[in-house]
Amino acid sequence: MIARYSRPAMARVWSDESKLARWLEVELAALDGWASVGAVPDEAAREIRARAEAPTPERVAEIEERTQHDVAAFVDAVAEPLGPVGRWFHYGLTSSDVLDTALSLQIREAGALILEGIERALAAVLEQAERHRRTLMMGRTHGVHAEPTTFGLKLAGWAWELDRARTRVERALEGLRVGKLSGAVGTYSAIDPEVERLACERLGLEPAPSSTQILQRDRHADLLGALAVTAASLEKFALEIRHLARTEVREVEEPFGRGQKGSSAMPHKRNPIVAERICGLARVVRGAALVGLENVALWHERDISHSSAERVVMPDAFLALDYMLDRFAWLVEGLVVRPERMRRNLEASHGLFFSQRLLLALVESGLERSKAYELVQRNAMRAWEEEQDFPHLVRSDSAISAQLDAPALDAVFDLEAYTRHVDVVFDRLSVLSPREEPVHA
């Protein structure tokens, strides 16, 4: 991921320096396991742990020019200054033992940052939802006025979706809280299973119950899918903000700072650029999920076709989503909401949104539904075409007034009816308070 869309903490997780440090962490955990079962001398293990250092990416790259193998280059770079005890470094391991177990450590660290981002986004949405619990606005289906809702109710739906994202990501991260040190094809032919258990315990992982040369990639596909669904939800929210920010609607607006420029050519422009950026980056994360799915099917106990693609999409998916969550939280926290514009837009369709309430009232009065529908639609179409007030037309229709008296029609055209059950949803929402500490932190 380019620096423009990379935040420092997440970028550090996926840096070459961090990767090599994680590789060393796995190697040393395995070494301690070997010492515990008596296969490697304790003094050798202690000396290696005391002296071994993660090499620089530059040194590994220099050796890799010769070896054409990054893990072999890493092993040589660590072992070369250790002297005779260096022969025990990487003892009994195959490259993927190190790569896959270290990747699980990186994913755990990156996952904690993603969960922190979801928590912040959820907190921002919950705060705005409560603030606008009763802020009336027009609900739209097919992009057309339907019935009134509140801006708070719209955001309540987002909050539940973020909660599902949190649960989904937590579960997928748990699926990758595993390591493997089982050798070339997963048979432990060159390593004691007890070493794997001890090493994983030291690393805070569980040994995979079964592995080949690698951890099966359904785990990684599941995680990338969870990240992609989270990104898709953020895209959905951002797209809604973009629609509501259009000039013809103008019910919300992105924060716009002093000195900011919306266009190099048109000084009046205040564009929803952050929401658009979120929508664009969602495509990147979705693409990573597709790669994750394609990485599941590998030849026999392992081929290397997944490796090159995974080195790109795993960091990119985390980096992009981390950035998206940060920008979305910022967007919601500073969102400019225009209740007066929402009310004007609600009134722009001449009260047509009362049509369902009128239909139900006519049915309740004893009128056949098809006849009631015909009466309501007739007045609705006239209100549309002639831009007349729908309640006024209805009150003037003798066929309707024969069924419903003035008090009954007053009840039909009561705006409060659309908000009377808002508190039911918000009572349910109260269980979604942000958690103090993200899982896997």
Side-chain angles (χ1 to χ4, degrees):
M1 182 57 62
I2 63 175
R4 182 181 179 90
Y5 305 126
S6 299
R7 300 207 306 147
M10 187 64 81
R12 281 192 295 272
V13 173
W14 297 106
S15 68
D16 286 340
E17 291 81 2
S18 177
K19 177 185 71 176
L20 296 175
R22 291 302 196 185
W23 288 6
L24 181 60
E25 191 175 348
V26 173
E27 293 275 10
L28 295 178
L31 187 66
D32 288 343
W34 278 120
S36 296
V37 300
V40 172
D42 283 336
E43 60 273 17
R46 285 196 298 271
E47 183 178 350
I48 292 172
R49 178 168 280 281
R51 295 176 53 203
E53 295 182 354
T56 65
E58 292 76 16
R59 179 54 181 152
V60 173
E62 181 184 353
I63 299 173
E64 190 181 352
E65 282 291 318
R66 181 183 74 254
T67 64
Q68 294 298 300
H69 193 293
D70 58 348
V71 176
F74 161 79
V75 171
D76 289 350
V78 176
E80 61 186 356
L82 295 177
V85 296
R87 72 184 186 277
W88 296 111
F89 190 76
H90 198 65
Y91 179 71
L93 301 179
T94 190
S95 298
S96 289
D97 290 333
V98 179
L99 292 172
D100 278 7
T101 306
L103 179 58
S104 291
L105 297 178
Q106 287 180 284
I107 286 171
R108 181 175 63 189
E109 188 176 359
L113 295 175
I114 292 297
L115 291 172
E116 288 175 8
I118 294 175
E119 295 293 341
R120 180 186 165 199
L122 177 57
V125 169
L126 286 170
E127 182 177 345
Q128 285 280 27
E130 183 57 47
R131 182 177 299 133
H132 294 285
R133 180 188 288 223
R134 298 186 181 281
T135 301
L136 268 175
M137 67 179 299
M138 179 51 68
R140 299 168 174 91
T141 58
H142 306 276
V144 177
H145 283 202
E147 287 189 346
T149 182
T150 76
F151 191 55
L153 278 174
K154 185 187 291 288
L155 296 179
W158 295 7
W160 283 110
E161 195 159 340
L162 285 168
D163 178 65
R164 291 193 294 276
R166 175 170 62 181
T167 300
R168 195 178 293 116
V169 171
E170 286 174 343
R171 179 192 53 73
L173 288 171
E174 184 65 22
L176 267 162
R177 199 175 58 83
V178 293
K180 63 86 58 183
L181 288 84
S182 59
V185 294
T187 61
Y188 301 96
S189 61
I191 192 168
D192 188 331
E194 181 65 6
V195 173
E196 179 186 60
R197 187 192 70 79
L198 291 168
C200 285
E201 183 179 76
R202 181 180 291 276
L203 296 168
L205 303 174
E206 294 289 333
S210 174
S211 56
T212 59
Q213 189 174 106
I214 60 170
L215 292 171
Q216 289 90 348
R217 256 43 194 179
D218 64 294
R219 297 176 183 271
H220 304 75
D222 186 37
L223 174 63
L224 288 168
L227 300 183
V229 174
T230 304
S233 292
L234 296 180
E235 179 185 21
K236 166 188 167 181
F237 308 153
L239 185 64
E240 180 71 8
I241 289 171
R242 289 169 60 191
H243 281 314
L244 296 180
R246 284 177 298 142
T247 304
E248 296 83 356
V249 181
R250 204 163 177 258
E251 294 179 357
V252 303
E253 189 173 292
E254 283 192 8
F256 195 86
R258 182 178 295 274
Q260 183 175 341
K261 295 183 178 181
S263 167
S264 63
M266 296 172 285
H268 74 278
K269 295 285 280 181
R270 296 175 67 162
N271 303 324
I273 57 171
V274 172
E276 290 172 337
R277 199 178 303 158
I278 290 169
C279 291
L281 288 173
R283 300 165 190 170
V284 174
V285 186
R286 258 197 304 281
L290 177 59
V291 173
L293 290 170
E294 293 183 342
N295 279 349
V296 173
L298 302 175
W299 286 22
H300 306 300
E301 277 60 55
R302 181 238 183 167
D303 66 62
I304 204 172
S305 63
H306 70 288
S307 177
S308 55
E310 194 170 86
R311 290 173 191 242
V312 174
V313 300
M314 192 64 76
D316 278 5
F318 274 101
L319 283 160
L321 183 57
D322 176 64
Y323 179 86
M324 291 169 66
L325 285 164
D326 175 74
R327 292 293 80 200
F328 175 71
W330 171 88
L331 180 54
V332 174
E333 287 164 355
L335 191 67
V336 178
V337 181
R338 303 187 183 281
E340 73 289 346
R341 182 72 181 195
M342 292 177 174
R343 189 60 177 249
R344 283 172 58 191
N345 287 340
L346 185 147
E347 294 169 350
S349 55
H350 318 294
L352 281 168
F353 53 79
F354 288 117
S355 69
Q356 181 177 208
R357 290 184 54 76
L358 178 59
L359 173 65
L360 295 178
L362 288 170
V363 170
E364 291 166 5
S365 74
L367 199 63
E368 181 188 353
R369 181 182 175 85
S370 60
K371 178 60 177 176
Y373 196 101
E374 179 186 340
L375 288 176
V376 175
Q377 188 179 50
R378 181 178 70 197
N379 286 280
M381 293 305 100
R382 189 179 170 196
W384 267 125
E385 299 300 329
E386 300 176 13
E387 296 192 7
Q388 292 198 48
D389 182 64
F390 178 66
H392 175 74
L393 291 175
V394 167
R395 293 180 192 277
S396 303
D397 191 319
S398 58
I400 292 178
S401 59
Q403 296 292 130
L404 300 172
D405 59 17
L409 287 174
D410 289 342
V412 165
F413 300 127
D414 180 13
L415 263 178
E416 295 297 318
Y418 295 101
T419 60
R420 62 180 176 175
H421 295 308
V422 166
D423 291 342
V424 172
V425 175
F426 277 83
D427 287 345
R428 297 169 184 162
L429 201 62
S430 64
V431 303
L432 295 189
S433 57
R435 301 171 188 172
E436 292 184 2
E437 292 187 10
V439 177
H440 304 286

